[in-house]
Amino acid sequence: MIIDLPSTTTAAVNKALIDLRESGGAIALGRVLTLVVVADEEHAEPAIQAANDASREHPCRIIVLVHASARGGARLDAQVRVGGDAGASEVIVLRMFGKLVGHGASVAVPFLLSDAPVVAYWPGEPPAVPAEDPVGAMAQRRITDVAECRTPVAALRDRGMSYRPGDTDLAWSRTTLWRGLLAAALDQPPHERVTAVRVVGGSDSPSTDLLAAWLGLSLRCPVTRVKARAGVGILSVRLVRRSGPIDLDRPDGATATLNAPGQPERRIALPRRTTSESLAEELRRLDPDEVYARVLTKGLARLTGPRPGAAAAEG
Amino acid sequence: MSPATWHNPLRDARDKRLARIAGPCALILFGVTGDLARKKLMPAVYDLANRGLLPPGFALVGFARRDWADEDFGKVVYEAVRENARTPFRESVWAQLAAGIRFVPGEFDDDAAFDQLAQVISELDTMRGTGGNHAFYLSVPPRFFPMVCQQLARSGLSQQAPHAWRRVVIEKPFGHDLASARALNSVVEEVFPHDSVFRIDHYLGKETVQNLLALRFANQLFEHISNANYVDHVQITMAEDIGIGGRAGYYDGIGAARDVIQNHLIQLMALTAMEEPVSFEAHDLRAEKEKVLSAVRLPEDLGRACARGQYVAGWQGGQLVKGYREEEGISDSSTTETFAAIKLGVDTRRWAGVPFYLRTGKRLGRRVTEIAVVFKRAPHLPFARTATEELGQNALVIRVQPDEGVTMRFGSKVPGTAMEVRDVTMDFGYGHSFTESSPEAYERLLLDVLVGDPPLFPRHREVELAWEILDPVERFWARHGRPDDYVAGTWGPASADAMMARDGRSWRRP
Ligand SMILES: NC(=O)c1ccc[n+]([C@@H]2O[C@H](COP(=O)([O-])OP(=O)(O)OC[C@H]3O[C@@H](n4cnc5c(N)ncnc54)[C@H](OP(=O)(O)O)[C@@H]3O)[C@@H](O)[C@H]2O)c1
């Protein structure tokens, strides 16, 4: 069900929510958090879609603050979605016009669920320091998505400079399956030291940077980050060991092969992750992600590009 | 580096995102044409693959007395997956899984078939890199366990090897009494070391059952009132609305108590009553379950503390259904019970004097499994007697299935002028809070087998303790006539209500 409330106030929207619950019981029970999405018109609808899907795992109230237009008088248009139109959540879309655009937090406050954690999510360009943004300051956890920024690599660097505990980025959750497979590969004998790492991925792929940085930090060895064509995501990882390298390759964005010395090639489906899968993973834990923090603030700085002349052959 | 001191530098306790992914391995499934394999096991394998929790190169080998090629079996798996998998179908995931599917035709007494199985598995080790790690899932009637285990031993498949594991998974029933459970166990443990035997009680794989541990041991709210000072009694119910369906051969002569109380209900009781384990490691958890099970006592007078029944034809949920003795394959003189209820005590300081009532049955009012902790009444009520006439006992109910969650029942003032208190309920619905995508029990358990994580699997000692509790009841029933009739679609025989009434209590309508 979708209810439109043009030119309205937060009090009127809250009243509409209570009426909905009393008349139809249409509103989900047992919501575990409030997700505040801050977006422009372009990013709003896909973000709502992703959040609705994620809400099947984490029922929540989704508040979407849309910066509609800074022109004209201050005005609030609201839309409430419940039931089939909202996954296992209720969605409150708040479109802000005029002077209201700068005051999104004040619009969100009346709708935060009592005593439940608040998560902020910027599907597009995030504020310079998310933790100091009025919406970010209310949240335990702040989710950004540097891959959606105009210059992802620079945006990732900014995330490192402005990092505060509770920050996280979808570029990091996009590495989880890769990281899991690599960790599982090292679980197997021979248990040798990894002496060098080489990671290949799209030139604009912040996930490749994070994966490479994580490997370098955890394995305490030199890491080479090789840039491929933009848009291809993570392509391959090589872990160099005395007895020979472990190679995890995903040339086509769907199926990966794992090769290790003396072993047959193993294949596994490794599709690129959707935003809703990544978002669901982010909502699973609300405490600060210390590993991400170290990778972002220490690991990225250690990355080097390939030495001139040293092509793919090393290791 | 030696394996003992080796620590994988990519694993960090603070890195909570990293999933447990099974190492290279093959799952060998016996009984692939069965119900369980089709409805639960094969879909669970796919769901695990889809969640990225199976290793690269994973292989699934089916064994059955069918004249199938690999592709035919692949089609059987495909259909089971399309029909019963929980997660969306992805062509790329299926393609990888399908590439590792093999089939070996044969009877259990056919040496050549098992030699061929060994051959196929060793080819998979070299070609797909399953690394000598093999889990054998015996989804076949237990009477075949001896034959299959011996074949696995004879063909060298069960042979433990360094740097590789061989595990066996077995399903209930684990015998029909203490003696047969021991015999069955020795057959299996002759071939597989005890820590390589994984006994499935799929209830323990359910999220709600694991949530029971969280509820009890992560909160301050409930644990200090979980004892004889506050708790009046506990009711654990597993009710089914279906009859025995096509499973006459399995069910007749076994009955409700052996089929359900011995395993599921006694496990639920152990988790409800046990003390806090030192950790959730297998050893500590099982130690607490065994401790509390060894303190369980049957009442002196079994005749007054137990009830059993057998359904007769009746209207259930708008349908006329057959009685048990009219079901296909059941003799009309069968004395097998389709309903069983027993009262148990726990001789510990915490629970002395608090009865645990366990009941299960087929063709009952509806399908539901729950644990209800019913509290004593408040010692003093500062209200007029008329104000609290409708106030019952407070209860904490763990709904195991369906509609998993927790319900609390307590008194609340009825809106209006006079002071009047009536029971209300407060619900926490797992279905609303976390699920839709919460994994099936078999997914969790299969992954635990492949990863080698045993806490959720009962040890043989627990199976024995459960039989020690149930055997006297079965002997008593064997000597005392036949079960009482109850009409299909009701909540069991009158004798079950009488058993509660003698204690001044009544069954909850779940
Ligand atoms: N289904 C359940 O919900 C459930 C619940 C609890 C426990 N269990 C246990 O799970 C296991 C499987 O249950 P199920 O319901 O799947 O049983 P089922 O439907 O009766 O299937 C049994 C399987 O065993 C095979 N089998 C039987 N006799 C055989 C023989 N002589 N040689 C070769 N294969 C033979 C059958 O193959 P054919 O097709 O060739 O006969 C079939 O694949 C059993 O141990 C059962 O006790 C099942």
Side-chain angles (χ1 to χ4, degrees), chain A residues 29-30 32 56-57 59 141 168 172-173 176 179-184 186-188 191 214-215 218-219 255 258 264 266-269 271 277 281-282 285 287 289-291, chain B residues 1 3 6 8-12 14-18 21-24 51-52 54-57 90 92-93 96 125-130 133 163 432-437:
Chain A
L29 301 160
V32 292
R56 292 184 202 284
E57 189 175 324
R141 200 160 176 114
T168 177
W172 175 237
S173 23
T176 304
R179 298 195 302 120
L181 281 172
L182 292 166
L186 283 198
D187 280 340
Q188 301 305 316
H191 297 138
W214 172 69
L215 287 167
S218 320
L219 299 171
T255 304
L258 179 69
R266 302 186 179 113
R267 298 166 70 83
I268 189 166
E277 284 169 310
E281 176 178 308
E282 290 301 339
R285 292 197 178 82
D287 52 333
D289 184 336
E290 297 168 56
V291 178
Chain B
M1 259 173 270
W6 158 257
N8 184 342
L10 294 184
R11 296 213 183 270
D12 177 341
R14 293 168 303 176
D15 195 347
K16 299 174 193 159
R17 295 174 192 254
L18 279 201
I21 302 179
R51 290 164 66 205
L54 292 184
R90 275 198 263 215
S92 62
V93 172
Q96 288 320 310
D125 281 345
T126 48
M127 284 174 50
R128 278 188 65 90
T130 42
N133 302 315
H163 298 302
H432 301 255
S433 282
F434 300 103
T435 46
E436 281 211 40
S437 24

Side-chain angles (χ1 to χ4, degrees), chain B residues 31-37 65-66 107-108 138-142 144-145 171-173 247 250:
Chain B
V32 291
T33 55
D35 224 34
L36 185 71
R65 43 181 180 177
R66 291 287 185 288
E107 300 273 350
F108 295 147
L138 309 192
S139 182
V140 296
F144 296 113
F145 290 2
E171 280 271 351
K172 73 165 191 180
R247 302 182 66 215
Y250 163 74

Side-chain angles (χ1 to χ4, degrees), chain B residues 253-267:
Chain B
I254 295 287
R258 290 189 181 106
D259 187 37
V260 173
I261 294 185
Q262 188 273 339
N263 36 66
H264 307 316
L265 294 197
I266 288 185
Q267 282 289 333

Side-chain angles (χ1 to χ4, degrees), chain B residues 153-166:
Chain B
R154 191 197 55 77
S155 54
L157 282 169
S158 61
Q159 191 75 46
Q160 302 288 326
H163 298 302
W165 49 258
R166 307 286 148 86

Side-chain angles (χ1 to χ4, degrees), chain B residues 335-481:
Chain B
T335 59
T336 300
E337 85 280 359
T338 62
F339 174 97
I342 60 176
K343 168 181 169 180
L344 298 173
V346 181
D347 279 0
T348 61
R349 182 170 176 144
R350 183 196 280 266
W351 294 114
V354 179
F356 282 70
Y357 299 97
L358 274 45
R359 71 171 157 166
T360 182
K362 295 207 178 274
R363 288 273 184 238
L364 296 184
R366 69 188 190 97
R367 170 174 172 260
V368 60
T369 301
E370 64 164 40
I371 303 165
V373 179
V374 181
F375 291 91
K376 295 183 171 167
R377 282 173 201 282
H380 168 72
L381 292 170
F383 301 94
R385 199 178 51 80
T386 50
T388 55
E389 267 174 347
E390 289 184 65
L391 175 64
Q393 287 166 280
N394 296 165
L396 176 69
V397 183
I398 290 114
R399 308 192 308 270
V400 178
Q401 76 176 14
D403 185 23
E404 307 177 31
V406 182
T407 300
M408 258 199 274
R409 190 173 68 157
F410 52 91
S412 177
K413 182 182 171 301
V414 181
T417 44
M419 175 54 89
E420 217 183 291
V421 183
R422 189 189 286 171
D423 287 334
V424 295
T425 59
M426 195 160 81
D427 268 335
F428 159 74
Y430 234 78
H432 301 255
S433 282
F434 300 103
T435 46
E436 281 211 40
S437 24
S438 92
E440 271 278 340
Y442 274 101
E443 254 171 275
R444 169 67 196 262
L445 295 175
L446 263 180
L447 181 62
D448 282 3
V449 169
L450 301 180
V451 173
D453 206 12
L456 296 180
F457 301 87
R459 198 152 53 176
H460 177 58
R461 181 72 195 127
E462 292 168 60
V463 175
E464 286 194 356
L465 283 165
W467 283 122
E468 282 169 19
I469 295 166
L470 202 61
D471 274 357
V473 179
E474 292 287 355
R475 281 197 296 270
F476 175 84
W477 280 341
R479 287 195 309 271
H480 290 82

